[in-house]
Structures are given as C-alpha cells and as structure tokens.
Amino acid sequence: MDILTYIVENFSTLLDLTIQHIVIVFSSVFIAILTGVPLGIIICSSRIASRIVLGAATVLLTIPSIALFGVLIPILSPIGHGIGTVPAVVAVVLYSLLPIVRNTYVAISGLDSALMEAARGIGLRPWQRLFWIELPMAVPMIMAGVRIAVVSNIGVAAVAAYVGAGGLGRLISRGIAQSDPRQLITGAVAIALLAVLIDLVLLQVQRLLTSPGLRRRAGGAS
Amino acid sequence: MIDIENLSKVFSSNNRDTFAADRVSMRIAAGETCVLLGPSGCGKTTILKMLNGLIPRTSGTIRINGRDLDDFDIAELRRSIGYVVQQICLFPHMTIEQNVSIVPRLLKWDKARTRRRAAEVLATVGLEPGHFLHRYPAELSGGQQQRVGVARAIAADPPVLIMDEPFGAVDPINRESIQDEFLAMQQRLRKTIVFVSHDIDEAVKMADKIALFRAGRLEQFAAPDELLAHPASDFVADFVGKDRELKRLALIRVGSARVADAPALSQDRTVEEALALMNAQGREHLTVLDGAGRPVGYVTQARLSAGVPAATLESAMTPATSVSLDDNLRTAVSNMFRGDIGWLPCTDGEGRFDGEISQAAITHRLGQTYRERR
C-alpha cells in the first residue's frame, strides 16, 4: 500500500526518471546502430578483421558495468564528463556493439552465396547489392541484435545512476542509501516493466521492417 | 552472336593446375540456342560464368555481338545478358513484381513502363499477372518460381540469355512442360541462348547446337542430330548413349518422314470398294476417313478378304489413332507400339488425313544421314 501511495505522490518524478532512462538507452543504442551496422558489414570482407572485432566486442561485454564506469571516469574526466550522462551513454554504446555488430555480421555473411552470385550476375553493383538485397534480408537478424542491446542495457543504465546519469536507477540507489523499500521496489519494478514493454514495442518494429516475404519463409509456411 | 576464341581457365590449388576450360573456341549465332553439355566437372558452368564475367578468364577472348568483353562495364554487360540459375535465386524479400522489375530498375526505366513490362513478362512465362505480381517467392511452387526466374531474365529484353541448368530444380513432370513452354517462347523471342545441362535428352530437345565438353575441352560442337548420328569420338558416343538412334527420333518431324501418297477411303464406302483399291495399289491396309476427311480407323486386306458381315467401312474398320505432321517421330513410334501396328495415318493442322507414317519410312529417314556420308 505504501508503495502505491509513493507512486501516486511522486508520479511526475517517476515519469521524468523513466524518460531520462529511455533517452539514455535509445540515444546510445542509436549511436551503436550507426557504428555497429557498418562495422558488421565491413568485417564481412575479412576473416581476420571479423575475428578481431568480434573478439574485442566480446571482451567488452564481459567487463562488469560498475567496473566499466570506474574505468570511464578517469578517461572522460579530462573532457569534463567523468560523471553524468556521458559515461552512461558511452558504456551503453560499448555494450550494444557486440549484439549489433555480431548479428549484422552473421546475417550478411550467412546470406546464400548462390543468391548473392545471382545478384551480381544480373548486374547489381556492390552498393546496390548492399541496399537492395543484403540489408533488407539482414533486417530481422539486425533488429534481433538491437532488441538484445536495448533490453540488456536498460539494466546497465540503471547502474549508471551511480555515476550521476539519472534514470530509474536513481530510485534504487536512493532506496538503498535511505533504506527506503518504497523507492527501491518502485525503481526495480519500473525497470523490469520498462524492459518488457520496450522489447514488445521493438518486436513490432522488427515485424514492420521485415519484408512479408521473409516472414513467411521464417514461418516455414507456403 | 557470341564468339569464343581460345578461351582457357586454369584453377591452381596445391601447386596443381586444373583446366576448367582448355583452349575452347566456338561461335554461337544470333537467335540460336547452344547447350553446353557434359559430365559434372567438365567446365561447362565455368565457361558459362565467364560469359558474364562472374568467373574471370585466364586467357582467350569472348566477343558478344562483335564487342570484346573487356570493353564492357561489367555491371552494364550483365544487365544486357539475361541470367537464369539452377537454384532459381529469386530475392525472397521482394514481391514477384519487384523481382521481375529489378533489371529494368537498374536500367532506370520509368515506373509506368517497368510496371507494364512486369505484367507483360509474367504473362509471357504463363503466369497470370493479377494473381502473382504481389506475391512473394516463398508462396510459389518450384515450377512457378522457375518461371519467374525466366521472366526476370527476359524482363529488360536482353538479346542474350545464359542459363545454368535452369530446369534442374524443377520436378520431372513440370520440367517437361516448362521446357515445352520455353521452346515455344524462344520460337517467338529468338534470343541467343547459352544453356548448361548435363542431360543429353534435355540438350537434344532444346538445342540448335550442342557443345559437348570433357575436362575443359570441347569434344564436339554440332547440331543435335549430327552429334547423335556422327559422334566425333568414343567419349561422345558413350555420353550420348547406346540408344542414340532412339534419341534422334525426337528431333525429326513426322512430316519429313511420312509417305504422302497413302490410300484412304471415306467410311460410307463399301468393303468391295476398299478391297478393289488395295488390290489396285498393292497395299495391305488403308485408312478410313469420316465426312470431314479425318482418319477414324483402318481396314486390312487380310480381314476384309476373310469376309466381314458389313456393307460399309464404318462398321468394318478397326478404330485407329493418328499422329500430327508436326509431332516428332518419337511420338509416332510410341503411338505405333501402343496400337500394336506398324504404321499410322498422319493429320494436318486441321486434323485431316495427310499421308501416313510407317516403321519402314522412319528407318529410311533415320538412315538418310548415313547414306549421305557414304
């Protein structure tokens, strides 16, 4: 009951923190898409490059978020952003790279080689193959990577409250500091709900972006 | 016209050179269908892919309509050569209309013209445009997809088509009818076609010229009947098979082997008249016609002489099948075996009696090429 009262009384704060949270995650994942998708495409042409890049991204993902923030503070301090939104965004971008780069790489390097040869054989130039064939066919896989990035980084962004980034994580950190279970539980539940809801929304976006021709194929129906 | 001169392709692996094409020279005339034939690994697909630059040449020249392949922008060259592949390879994320429109789009045709052409070209390959334009490849059967594959290749009306085992992925029942439709289409379009196959029957059926390869070398380049009747080497003879004379049957029109002056009588004539005619011409049988001059049966001298309780031929005759002058000898022989008779009446375009074909006439026609060579 206490918690419900808390939510009602602090609704506008809750809304602000939620929006902050969404902005951190989405702007970072957006940056990660802009860098990760081209990176995933480029490494398709070199086996060595793909090993190096995917290996580095995997190592990044194994670093615990709190440790990564610790590392980012001295690195970003010289430009005046050791704490706040910037380290949060940088961390989320780094964590998002692996699922996005890897899924782009797997989707594009896994395209049927006979199909790609047919595309060459009927006269598509490399850029036309990329934009007319490869990317549209890779969309479901790339979007699956984006969903993994967004959902997992909603959790990372919560930890970013400790470096002053704002967002729903602030409820948790304050709840712990003030021994206030109302804030603690509200923050935890809100973050979990946000993750589930955004995943559902992104699933719809993925369906919209995927050609009906690929959807049917995935379903195996004729 | 496609001119290939001293074309070679060497693949090197483990310090060993393999010739996928070994000094191949051949000329494919405009409007002709040339089938590249041979066992797997003989280099036929490699040669085909060198024609549109998918595989680079080691040496030699290829000229298309007089222009050297090196003088083309490769993507532009490919747009002017329709390409059909065995795996069909429609783009699964595009509708049938988008698949078929892809080369016109590359050539920057305006939208209205592209749309018109997509519908037109689907109709050409026997698919109802209204029903198929907005579907996706996964919704179509294998045979329908292959038709779309052909439609995509001819959409921009290229003068040259290259096809890599185009009907290999289609089940045998549909393959036959797609081949027939393709032949009928080629009759109208008269493209220069290079077609890879490993199936001698398909090659005999589709080709104006067959190029038979072994280990990258051109063993024989000849018209199908020439290849079957006069194989240039033991390898060619083995490849075309021991039944090569039977395969030749499919190449020869009934019209070119039939006996034109065969006797026939209307079904309302009497048995006596029939016997008199057969005696006069020294024939063992004659064809019985209906009022419109179509063959409906036959009578034999042996049976009529034995005495039949019938006045007119209509009740005395044995019903018979016939064969059109445009059918091939293979169909004719098949009908003969089915009817257990040694001859068949022939019909013209309107189904009227027009001579007959006999086993003796077929033997004579098949032997013609050997007598000429002697």
Side-chain angles (χ1 to χ4, degrees):
Chain A
M1 247 13 240
D2 277 359
I3 292 169
L4 276 181
T5 331
Y6 175 82
I7 291 172
V8 172
E9 281 168 3
N10 296 279
F11 190 74
S12 68
T13 317
L14 197 58
L15 201 64
D16 281 350
L17 291 174
T18 306
I19 289 168
Q20 277 177 17
H21 207 102
I22 291 174
V23 166
I24 291 171
V25 172
F26 273 72
S27 53
S28 322
V29 172
F30 187 68
I31 294 169
I33 292 173
L34 288 187
T35 50
V37 172
L39 193 59
I41 294 166
I42 290 165
I43 62 175
C44 284
S45 54
S46 158
R47 177 170 283 213
I48 298 169
S50 69
R51 289 228 178 110
I52 293 171
V53 170
L54 293 177
T58 308
V59 169
L60 268 177
L61 203 63
T62 58
I63 302 172
S65 51
I66 200 79
L68 185 61
F69 287 123
V71 173
L72 286 175
I73 291 171
I75 293 175
L76 294 174
S77 289
I79 56 165
H81 290 287
I83 54 168
T85 311
V86 173
V89 168
V90 170
V92 175
V93 168
L94 291 177
Y95 284 131
S96 301
L97 279 176
L98 177 68
I100 292 172
V101 174
R102 186 187 51 202
N103 280 28
T104 305
Y105 171 77
V106 169
I108 289 184
S109 62
L111 287 176
D112 179 10
S113 60
L115 190 75
M116 295 320 297
E117 188 180 73
R120 271 202 307 146
I122 64 175
L124 286 138
R125 295 184 198 278
W127 284 106
Q128 289 164 333
R129 291 202 292 277
L130 181 64
F131 286 105
W132 293 17
I133 315 288
E134 293 172 349
L135 280 177
M137 287 190 68
V139 156
M141 193 88 176
I142 294 174
M143 275 303 297
V146 169
R147 275 169 55 209
I148 294 171
V150 168
V151 171
S152 60
N153 281 307
I154 285 174
V156 171
V159 180
Y162 283 100
V163 291
L168 289 165
R170 190 170 286 171
L171 289 178
I172 296 179
S173 63
R174 273 202 309 237
I176 293 170
Q178 301 169 7
S179 302
D180 178 0
R182 292 174 314 167
Q183 291 187 56
L184 192 63
I185 291 170
T186 304
V189 170
I191 288 167
L193 274 180
L194 188 64
V196 172
L197 282 175
I198 287 181
D199 191 42
L200 285 175
V201 170
L202 287 177
L203 188 61
Q204 291 309 311
V205 174
Q206 178 178 342
R207 291 218 171 113
L208 281 176
L209 289 177
T210 303
S211 152
L214 295 176
R215 241 181 277 158
R216 281 193 190 83
R217 177 182 256 197
S222 62
Chain B
M1 189 176 65
I2 302 171
D3 258 315
I4 297 171
E5 250 173 68
N6 269 318
L7 181 65
S8 290
K9 175 69 194 180
V10 184
F11 287 112
S12 300
S13 63
N14 303 329
N15 297 322
R16 265 190 52 203
D17 289 348
T18 328
F19 279 86
D22 189 359
R23 286 159 290 158
V24 172
S25 294
M26 54 197 279
R27 167 176 290 191
I28 301 156
E32 247 183 22
T33 302
C34 172
V35 172
L36 309 182
L37 183 66
S40 56
C42 71
K44 53 194 192 295
T45 297
T46 306
I47 289 169
L48 186 87
K49 287 182 178 173
M50 285 192 278
L51 292 180
N52 69 350
L54 281 177
I55 294 179
R57 281 161 287 154
T58 304
S59 64
T61 56
I62 297 173
R63 275 191 296 273
I64 293 182
N65 293 328
R67 197 168 156 201
D68 197 292
L69 217 60
D70 293 329
D71 299 337
F72 284 92
D73 170 276
I74 195 69
E76 261 159 41
L77 170 78
R78 288 170 180 158
R79 291 166 196 174
S80 70
I81 299 178
Y83 186 36
V84 184
V85 292
Q86 179 180 8
Q87 304 89 336
I88 307 174
C89 291
L90 299 181
F91 301 115
H93 61 294
M94 294 182 174
T95 61
I96 301 308
E97 178 171 27
Q98 289 167 331
N99 267 287
V100 168
S101 305
I102 195 159
V103 182
R105 258 178 80 198
L106 288 169
L107 294 170
K108 305 209 163 44
W109 288 18
D110 68 65
K111 282 214 172 90
R113 182 181 173 206
T114 305
R115 196 168 304 147
R116 258 200 324 275
R117 181 61 182 164
E120 189 180 296
V121 90
L122 273 192
T124 305
V125 297
L127 296 175
E128 167 61 39
H131 187 63
F132 286 101
L133 277 174
H134 302 295
R135 299 193 162 220
Y136 286 91
E139 299 173 78
L140 272 56
S141 72
Q144 290 167 340
Q145 290 188 25
Q146 191 51 277
R147 284 163 214 254
V148 177
V150 173
R152 180 176 66 186
I154 61 173
D157 204 18
V160 178
L161 274 182
I162 62 177
M163 312 173 86
D164 190 359
E165 305 217 12
F167 309 127
V170 182
D171 64 87
I173 296 167
N174 276 310
R175 190 183 307 151
E176 192 89 356
S177 61
I178 291 189
Q179 285 170 345
D180 290 338
E181 286 165 27
F182 187 79
L183 277 175
M185 191 183 84
Q186 166 66 354
Q187 288 289 331
R188 299 196 306 276
L189 301 180
R190 284 278 143 212
K191 305 280 183 197
T192 306
I193 298 175
V194 186
F195 182 131
V196 163
S197 177
H198 62 263
D199 176 359
I200 173 73
D201 292 307
E202 182 175 66
V204 165
K205 181 174 180 179
M206 310 298 286
D208 295 312
K209 286 279 185 61
I210 294 177
L212 184 57
F213 290 91
R214 173 171 63 162
R217 302 198 70 141
L218 182 57
E219 288 277 321
Q220 189 168 2
F221 182 48
D225 194 55
E226 172 80 11
L227 188 91
L228 291 171
H230 306 286
S233 65
D234 289 346
F235 171 79
V236 178
D238 275 350
F239 192 86
V240 298
K242 291 199 170 72
D243 62 342
R244 58 196 167 92
E245 294 303 329
L246 292 182
K247 292 190 169 88
R248 290 182 61 211
L249 290 174
L251 290 169
I252 302 171
R253 272 179 66 246
V254 167
S256 75
R258 63 100 200 241
V259 179
D261 62 344
L265 271 183
S266 171
Q267 58 187 0
D268 50 16
R269 308 293 274 276
T270 64
V271 169
E272 284 71 31
E273 282 177 297
L275 278 169
L277 182 62
M278 281 190 275
N279 281 330
Q281 297 199 3
R283 302 278 179 159
E284 295 294 317
H285 63 257
L286 62 77
T287 304
V288 179
L289 310 175
D290 68 4
R294 291 184 296 248
V296 286
Y298 67 93
V299 291
T300 63
Q301 199 174 33
R303 268 200 66 202
L304 292 190
S305 309
V308 277
T312 64
L313 296 179
E314 185 170 11
S315 38
M317 71 183 184
T318 311
T321 54
S322 59
V323 65
S324 159
L325 289 178
D326 289 326
D327 279 331
N328 62 44
L329 292 184
R330 195 183 149 104
T331 310
V333 168
S334 170
N335 286 352
M336 285 181 199
F337 288 164
R338 187 150 33 99
D340 192 22
I341 48 174
W343 63 280
L344 285 175
C346 304
T347 57
D348 63 12
E350 269 86 56
R352 286 189 304 261
F353 178 73
D354 191 359
E356 65 181 44
I357 180 114
S358 65
Q359 287 182 1
I362 292 172
T363 310
H364 185 77
R365 176 67 181 78
L366 287 176
Q368 194 175 311
T369 174
Y370 301 111
R371 289 190 298 277
E372 282 163 4
R373 283 289 176 106
R374 222 173 272 145

mmCIF file of all heavy atoms in Angstrom, chain A residues 140-160:
data_model
loop_
_atom_site.group_PDB
_atom_site.id
_atom_site.type_symbol
_atom_site.label_atom_id
_atom_site.label_comp_id
_atom_site.label_asym_id
_atom_site.label_seq_id
_atom_site.Cartn_x
_atom_site.Cartn_y
_atom_site.Cartn_z
ATOM 1 N N PRO A 140 15.785 -8.669 -40.089
ATOM 2 C CA PRO A 140 15.265 -9.381 -38.911
ATOM 3 C C PRO A 140 16.375 -9.701 -37.906
ATOM 4 O O PRO A 140 16.205 -9.517 -36.701
ATOM 5 C CB PRO A 140 14.685 -10.670 -39.495
ATOM 6 C CG PRO A 140 14.461 -10.400 -40.944
ATOM 7 C CD PRO A 140 15.471 -9.373 -41.349
ATOM 8 N N MET A 141 17.519 -10.132 -38.420
ATOM 9 C CA MET A 141 18.632 -10.517 -37.552
ATOM 10 C C MET A 141 19.235 -9.285 -36.869
ATOM 11 O O MET A 141 19.545 -9.315 -35.665
ATOM 12 C CB MET A 141 19.678 -11.187 -38.448
ATOM 13 C CG MET A 141 20.741 -11.916 -37.721
ATOM 14 S SD MET A 141 20.216 -13.605 -37.430
ATOM 15 C CE MET A 141 21.703 -14.222 -36.673
ATOM 16 N N ILE A 142 19.413 -8.201 -37.625
ATOM 17 C CA ILE A 142 19.978 -6.981 -37.038
ATOM 18 C C ILE A 142 19.050 -6.459 -35.951
ATOM 19 O O ILE A 142 19.481 -6.079 -34.855
ATOM 20 C CB ILE A 142 20.208 -5.907 -38.124
ATOM 21 C CG1 ILE A 142 21.284 -6.386 -39.105
ATOM 22 C CG2 ILE A 142 20.622 -4.576 -37.491
ATOM 23 C CD1 ILE A 142 21.502 -5.475 -40.294
ATOM 24 N N MET A 143 17.738 -6.469 -36.242
ATOM 25 C CA MET A 143 16.779 -5.979 -35.243
ATOM 26 C C MET A 143 16.767 -6.864 -34.004
ATOM 27 O O MET A 143 16.562 -6.376 -32.888
ATOM 28 C CB MET A 143 15.375 -5.913 -35.862
ATOM 29 C CG MET A 143 15.090 -4.627 -36.622
ATOM 30 S SD MET A 143 15.317 -3.150 -35.585
ATOM 31 C CE MET A 143 14.041 -3.422 -34.348
ATOM 32 N N ALA A 144 16.991 -8.165 -34.178
ATOM 33 C CA ALA A 144 17.073 -9.043 -33.009
ATOM 34 C C ALA A 144 18.256 -8.622 -32.141
ATOM 35 O O ALA A 144 18.155 -8.589 -30.907
ATOM 36 C CB ALA A 144 17.215 -10.500 -33.451
ATOM 37 N N GLY A 145 19.368 -8.238 -32.784
ATOM 38 C CA GLY A 145 20.532 -7.746 -32.046
ATOM 39 C C GLY A 145 20.220 -6.447 -31.328
ATOM 40 O O GLY A 145 20.616 -6.246 -30.167
ATOM 41 N N VAL A 146 19.489 -5.558 -31.998
ATOM 42 C CA VAL A 146 19.120 -4.281 -31.385
ATOM 43 C C VAL A 146 18.247 -4.517 -30.156
ATOM 44 O O VAL A 146 18.419 -3.876 -29.112
ATOM 45 C CB VAL A 146 18.380 -3.387 -32.417
ATOM 46 C CG1 VAL A 146 17.762 -2.177 -31.732
ATOM 47 C CG2 VAL A 146 19.345 -2.949 -33.518
ATOM 48 N N ARG A 147 17.334 -5.467 -30.250
ATOM 49 C CA ARG A 147 16.464 -5.762 -29.104
ATOM 50 C C ARG A 147 17.278 -6.272 -27.919
ATOM 51 O O ARG A 147 17.062 -5.854 -26.776
ATOM 52 C CB ARG A 147 15.401 -6.782 -29.492
ATOM 53 C CG ARG A 147 14.196 -6.143 -30.140
ATOM 54 C CD ARG A 147 13.295 -7.197 -30.761
ATOM 55 N NE ARG A 147 12.896 -8.213 -29.803
ATOM 56 C CZ ARG A 147 12.619 -9.475 -30.143
ATOM 57 N NH1 ARG A 147 12.727 -9.865 -31.393
ATOM 58 N NH2 ARG A 147 12.254 -10.327 -29.220
ATOM 59 N N ILE A 148 18.212 -7.166 -28.199
ATOM 60 C CA ILE A 148 19.071 -7.667 -27.113
ATOM 61 C C ILE A 148 19.831 -6.499 -26.485
ATOM 62 O O ILE A 148 19.886 -6.358 -25.258
ATOM 63 C CB ILE A 148 20.081 -8.715 -27.643
ATOM 64 C CG1 ILE A 148 19.336 -9.958 -28.106
ATOM 65 C CG2 ILE A 148 21.111 -9.068 -26.573
ATOM 66 C CD1 ILE A 148 20.207 -10.956 -28.854
ATOM 67 N N ALA A 149 20.369 -5.605 -27.343
ATOM 68 C CA ALA A 149 21.129 -4.458 -26.843
ATOM 69 C C ALA A 149 20.259 -3.571 -25.967
ATOM 70 O O ALA A 149 20.654 -3.193 -24.854
ATOM 71 C CB ALA A 149 21.695 -3.663 -28.031
ATOM 72 N N VAL A 150 19.073 -3.241 -26.445
ATOM 73 C CA VAL A 150 18.209 -2.318 -25.699
ATOM 74 C C VAL A 150 17.820 -2.922 -24.358
ATOM 75 O O VAL A 150 17.963 -2.297 -23.299
ATOM 76 C CB VAL A 150 16.957 -1.958 -26.532
ATOM 77 C CG1 VAL A 150 15.927 -1.256 -25.663
ATOM 78 C CG2 VAL A 150 17.344 -1.089 -27.706
ATOM 79 N N VAL A 151 17.337 -4.153 -24.394
ATOM 80 C CA VAL A 151 16.826 -4.753 -23.170
ATOM 81 C C VAL A 151 17.944 -4.938 -22.138
ATOM 82 O O VAL A 151 17.779 -4.589 -20.963
ATOM 83 C CB VAL A 151 16.128 -6.095 -23.493
ATOM 84 C CG1 VAL A 151 15.795 -6.832 -22.208
ATOM 85 C CG2 VAL A 151 14.874 -5.822 -24.302
ATOM 86 N N SER A 152 19.105 -5.438 -22.586
ATOM 87 C CA SER A 152 20.153 -5.658 -21.587
ATOM 88 C C SER A 152 20.693 -4.327 -21.062
ATOM 89 O O SER A 152 21.099 -4.233 -19.912
ATOM 90 C CB SER A 152 21.273 -6.530 -22.165
ATOM 91 O OG SER A 152 21.832 -5.899 -23.287
ATOM 92 N N ASN A 153 20.653 -3.294 -21.904
ATOM 93 C CA ASN A 153 21.218 -2.026 -21.464
ATOM 94 C C ASN A 153 20.265 -1.178 -20.634
ATOM 95 O O ASN A 153 20.671 -0.192 -20.037
ATOM 96 C CB ASN A 153 21.735 -1.232 -22.658
ATOM 97 C CG ASN A 153 23.080 -1.778 -23.099
ATOM 98 O OD1 ASN A 153 23.983 -1.888 -22.284
ATOM 99 N ND2 ASN A 153 23.177 -2.161 -24.353
ATOM 100 N N ILE A 154 18.987 -1.586 -20.592
ATOM 101 C CA ILE A 154 18.095 -0.932 -19.634
ATOM 102 C C ILE A 154 18.617 -1.221 -18.219
ATOM 103 O O ILE A 154 18.598 -0.363 -17.342
ATOM 104 C CB ILE A 154 16.645 -1.426 -19.848
ATOM 105 C CG1 ILE A 154 16.090 -0.757 -21.104
ATOM 106 C CG2 ILE A 154 15.775 -1.075 -18.634
ATOM 107 C CD1 ILE A 154 14.727 -1.239 -21.521
ATOM 108 N N GLY A 155 19.162 -2.430 -18.031
ATOM 109 C CA GLY A 155 19.783 -2.766 -16.744
ATOM 110 C C GLY A 155 21.077 -2.004 -16.510
ATOM 111 O O GLY A 155 21.325 -1.489 -15.418
ATOM 112 N N VAL A 156 21.904 -1.909 -17.567
ATOM 113 C CA VAL A 156 23.176 -1.185 -17.427
ATOM 114 C C VAL A 156 22.929 0.282 -17.084
ATOM 115 O O VAL A 156 23.592 0.871 -16.229
ATOM 116 C CB VAL A 156 24.012 -1.313 -18.721
ATOM 117 C CG1 VAL A 156 25.225 -0.393 -18.675
ATOM 118 C CG2 VAL A 156 24.446 -2.760 -18.934
ATOM 119 N N ALA A 157 21.922 0.859 -17.734
ATOM 120 C CA ALA A 157 21.612 2.272 -17.491
ATOM 121 C C ALA A 157 21.172 2.491 -16.048
ATOM 122 O O ALA A 157 21.344 3.579 -15.487
ATOM 123 C CB ALA A 157 20.533 2.748 -18.465
ATOM 124 N N ALA A 158 20.567 1.467 -15.446
ATOM 125 C CA ALA A 158 20.169 1.594 -14.038
ATOM 126 C C ALA A 158 21.393 1.773 -13.151
ATOM 127 O O ALA A 158 21.405 2.606 -12.240
ATOM 128 C CB ALA A 158 19.368 0.359 -13.624
ATOM 129 N N VAL A 159 22.453 1.005 -13.458
ATOM 130 C CA VAL A 159 23.688 1.108 -12.681
ATOM 131 C C VAL A 159 24.319 2.493 -12.868
ATOM 132 O O VAL A 159 24.986 3.029 -11.986
ATOM 133 C CB VAL A 159 24.674 -0.012 -13.089
ATOM 134 C CG1 VAL A 159 25.969 0.090 -12.287
ATOM 135 C CG2 VAL A 159 24.019 -1.375 -12.886
ATOM 136 N N ALA A 160 24.055 3.099 -14.071
ATOM 137 C CA ALA A 160 24.651 4.403 -14.381
ATOM 138 C C ALA A 160 24.205 5.497 -13.425
ATOM 139 O O ALA A 160 24.810 6.573 -13.373
ATOM 140 C CB ALA A 160 24.319 4.789 -15.828
#
